[in-house]
Amino acid sequence: MPDNPFRGRDVISILDFTREDLEELFSHADRSKELIRRRSLEGRIVALAFFEPSTRTRMSFEAAAKRLGAATISISGEEAISVAKGENLADTIAMLDSYADAIVIRHKYEGAALYASEIAEAPVINGGDGRQHHPTQAMLDLYTVRKLFGRIDGLVYGVLGDLRYGRAASSFILGLTLFKPRHVYLISPPQLRARSEVIEVLESRGFEYNEVESLTEVLPELDVLYVTRIQKERIPDPREYEALKGSYRVTIDLLKSKAREGLKILHPLPRVDEIDFSVDASPYQAYYLQARLGVDVRIALLHLVLAG
Ligand code: NCD
């Protein structure tokens, strides 16, 4: 490989990367079995610093690191570590930097991963910072679309749910701007519309999109429906959450009456009630594949950042 655009790099936002970078990543993810055989991270240590809850992101990074032969050290939750004694993030990161070869961080504060990357010499990978960015989720989401359709370009996308507080949805929308979708519908209750900094990127890139409130009216056009939960923990006023709760729900009856046959539904998970369980056994469902492919993409990413 001539230039590896990932080598030694921090991964903070999906917009730090080009389409070509992502294509390089995806072709490595296609070869994850071969990367596992090579155990290219033997002797390395990956730190997993998760200050916020996580199931898939944390475990798939851990699985990816271990499959490549690396060891992992980890923090989970602030209660268990010295943050509870008043230690600041800068000191925690400086310490991890001296223990590990790469740091994956998830934090409730926006900008935490960027801040960590300014302190650490080791590459820092953002596993989610507040409502802002979740670049590796966007990478695996786009990879899933590429697996399902053989391409990311030319498709019609709907992104449904909490576009205001949800970092997975925002990062997916930003990631789509690196490609050429036919159209993107941003579907949400008015209170949960995409934030201005996301809309500004779409506008500045001359991107084809619409903001709509109803899934039903656009559903027949969609190739991909990306669903997200309402981010209860990030909504400042609990009454606002109560008012929004259950305001959208994807059911098998709705899909059967309105969706294209080939529609695929993605969801970063965890799901609350926005996709009815009746959808799980249908051919529309692609979220379990998506979760599985997260390991392949993180294998490719860790390999490229640390060894490629
Ligand atoms: C997402 C997250 O943490 O932002 N989960 C994930 O990483 N798969 C989505 C969410 O919590 O709703």
Side-chain angles (χ1 to χ4, degrees), residues 36 39 41 46 48 55-70 72 292 294-296 298-299 302:
I36 290 169
R39 291 182 71 81
L41 298 190
V46 175
L48 304 169
T55 309
R56 277 149 291 269
T57 304
R58 183 193 148 89
M59 293 185 71
S60 62
F61 263 115
E62 182 159 9
K66 288 184 167 157
R67 290 217 187 269
L68 291 170
T72 59
R292 205 164 65 234
V295 180
D296 291 352
R298 289 174 174 128
I299 285 173
L302 287 175

Side-chain angles (χ1 to χ4, degrees), residues 55-297:
T55 309
R56 277 149 291 269
T57 304
R58 183 193 148 89
M59 293 185 71
S60 62
F61 263 115
E62 182 159 9
K66 288 184 167 157
R67 290 217 187 269
L68 291 170
T72 59
I73 54 175
S74 60
I75 283 175
S76 56
E78 297 190 342
E79 302 74 27
I81 55 163
S82 294
V83 171
K85 302 181 195 167
E87 183 164 71
N88 62 49
L89 183 63
D91 286 351
T92 311
I93 296 301
M95 175 200 78
L96 289 177
D97 193 33
S98 68
Y99 296 167
D101 301 296
I103 301 169
V104 184
I105 179 172
R106 167 172 287 193
H107 202 285
K108 66 183 172 209
Y109 292 138
E110 276 130 56
L114 181 63
Y115 178 62
S117 74
E118 284 160 6
I119 294 162
E121 299 219 342
V124 170
I125 300 176
N126 186 1
D129 63 321
R131 60 182 190 173
Q132 196 162 245
H133 294 299
H134 195 349
T136 67
Q137 181 70 45
M139 288 167 178
L140 78 90
D141 298 339
L142 293 166
Y143 182 65
T144 305
V145 174
R146 177 182 170 278
K147 268 270 190 236
L148 290 166
F149 293 88
R151 64 198 164 107
I152 296 166
D153 296 333
L155 303 172
V156 180
Y157 295 81
V159 187
L160 169 68
D162 185 348
L163 312 185
R164 181 169 182 197
Y165 297 103
R167 59 195 172 202
S170 304
S171 293
F172 181 64
I173 296 164
L174 294 175
L176 284 174
T177 69
L178 303 174
F179 294 85
K180 294 188 174 61
R182 189 140 70 81
H183 199 81
V184 177
Y185 289 104
L186 306 182
I187 314 160
S188 70
Q191 302 92 319
L192 298 177
R193 281 162 74 158
R195 295 189 304 281
S196 57
E197 73 260 26
V198 174
I199 296 294
E200 277 158 24
V201 175
L202 303 186
E203 292 288 342
S204 71
R205 297 185 173 202
F207 201 69
E208 284 289 324
Y209 78 97
N210 280 107
E211 294 181 279
V212 299
E213 284 173 31
S214 151
L215 169 65
T216 321
E217 70 191 61
V218 299
L219 185 56
E221 289 179 55
L222 305 182
D223 298 300
V224 176
L225 174 61
Y226 190 96
V227 186
T228 60
R229 73 183 170 96
I230 299 180
Q231 305 276 305
K232 182 180 181 184
E233 70 279 28
R234 297 189 209 288
I235 296 184
D237 182 348
R239 283 169 307 183
E240 198 183 339
Y241 174 74
E242 286 304 317
L244 288 164
K245 197 170 76 177
S247 55
Y248 54 92
R249 189 175 174 88
V250 180
T251 63
I252 194 68
D253 293 342
L254 175 66
L255 294 170
K256 279 184 177 155
S257 71
K258 296 271 184 203
R260 282 193 176 171
E261 210 179 298
L263 170 78
K264 294 294 176 193
I265 300 179
L266 273 63
H267 192 307
L269 304 176
R271 154 178 55 181
V272 183
D273 59 2
E274 57 282 352
I275 301 180
D276 192 83
F277 291 113
S278 60
V279 179
D280 295 1
S282 77
Y284 304 111
Q285 182 274 109
Y287 27 92
Y288 298 133
L289 172 72
Q290 182 186 0
R292 205 164 65 234
L293 293 177
V295 180
D296 291 352
V297 170

